[in-house]
Amino acid sequence: MLQQKIPATVITGFLGAGKTTMIRNLLQNAGGKRIALIINEFGDLGIDGDVLKGCGAEACTEDDIIELTNGCICCTVADDFIPTMAKLLERENRPDHIVIETSGLALPQPLVAAFNWPEIKTQVTVDGVITVVDSAAVAAGRFADDHDKVDALRVEDENLDHESPLEELFEDQLTAADLIVLNKTDLIDAAGLQAVRDEVASRIARKPSMIEARNGEVAAAVLLGLGVGTEDDIANRKSHHELEHENGEEHDHDEFDSFVVELGAVADPAAFIERLKGVIAEHDVLRLKGFADVPGKPLRLLVQAVGSRIDSYFERAWAPGEARGTRLVVIGLHDMDEQAVRAAIAAAV
């Protein structure tokens, strides 16, 4: 009797869209399904995996969570993803479903295409690609250039390329989607939400289903069981890079930089958070995430920033033997002044 293929869901979306929060909600409400989770982060510090390991969901134990932090998964398919999948499929107790959270800077297309590798295609199918959108960021125009300004400049320079790295990546992640989740809708009004819907729809020729969410709260029955088999249609969902460079050039992330800032204890977390907002605004930091050591507190303070919006809360107790400290991942465009950002963050403590 042929073994049924394991469904895999790919969850993508730009930095800070709410992917990890949505997955955490999914794991806590999985309805008895045993889920294996593969997490890929851009940067050297596995914050998202650490958050998910602490969620206490029976559906996904720590042994079921696999982190890939040595590069963007879309660039390391052969070296990292394929071997990881092979080991997962060799397990005696195979999962009911596989969920893959890509880096916020990843192109989903190469990853989905990897499911056509012979050793995977016979055993796993892509149930669907879910793209999570930060509705408030889109409403603020963070993923679109000022087109009126660009058109004016084009009068002087018709060779001007209007596509920014952020804009292209946003469109590529939408292009791969089978389901689009407009997250953080509680941060905008009805008119703003309609503008976001119109903006997202204008970015893609295909018209996948689009749903709204707050705090990443989407029922597992909505996210799992799409049954698309996306790997068979990935040739129709090409990224900007694939369309422009179909001559074998490799995708890279030269447009973005990432580094980790390590600090000591933070005595006044509220003041630290306020100062971080100024650092982010001054240096145009795209994403900042990590945790802080607050003296006298048994729990570590989780810090998550998207643009000038910063969320922080005491997340979990410091583990026995775990070195206390403050460690933050900073992600920005390639021309970000790393030394200046490091100095500014250190001065914010």
Side-chain angles (χ1 to χ4, degrees), residues 279-287 331-333 336:
V279 174
I280 290 169
E282 181 180 353
H283 296 279
D284 199 20
V285 173
L286 296 175
R287 182 83 162 98
I331 302 174
L333 293 176
M336 178 174 56

Side-chain angles (χ1 to χ4, degrees), residues 285-338:
V285 173
L286 296 175
R287 182 83 162 98
L288 184 149
K289 59 182 178 179
F291 48 86
D293 172 23
V294 179
K297 297 290 185 179
L299 305 179
R300 68 181 199 175
L301 182 71
L302 190 72
V303 179
Q304 298 267 15
V306 183
S308 61
R309 297 199 316 269
I310 301 182
D311 293 324
S312 63
Y313 57 91
F314 288 101
E315 174 231 0
R316 67 160 175 83
W318 294 94
E322 182 179 11
R324 294 179 66 124
T326 300
R327 290 180 282 281
L328 302 171
V329 176
V330 180
I331 302 174
L333 293 176
H334 74 283
D335 56 357
M336 178 174 56
D337 188 336
E338 178 179 338

Side-chain angles (χ1 to χ4, degrees), residues 37-57:
L37 177 61
I38 298 176
I39 306 166
N40 178 228
E41 294 195 63
F42 188 84
D44 298 320
L45 191 62
I47 299 296
D48 293 346
D50 211 13
V51 170
L52 290 165
K53 286 177 181 177
C55 76

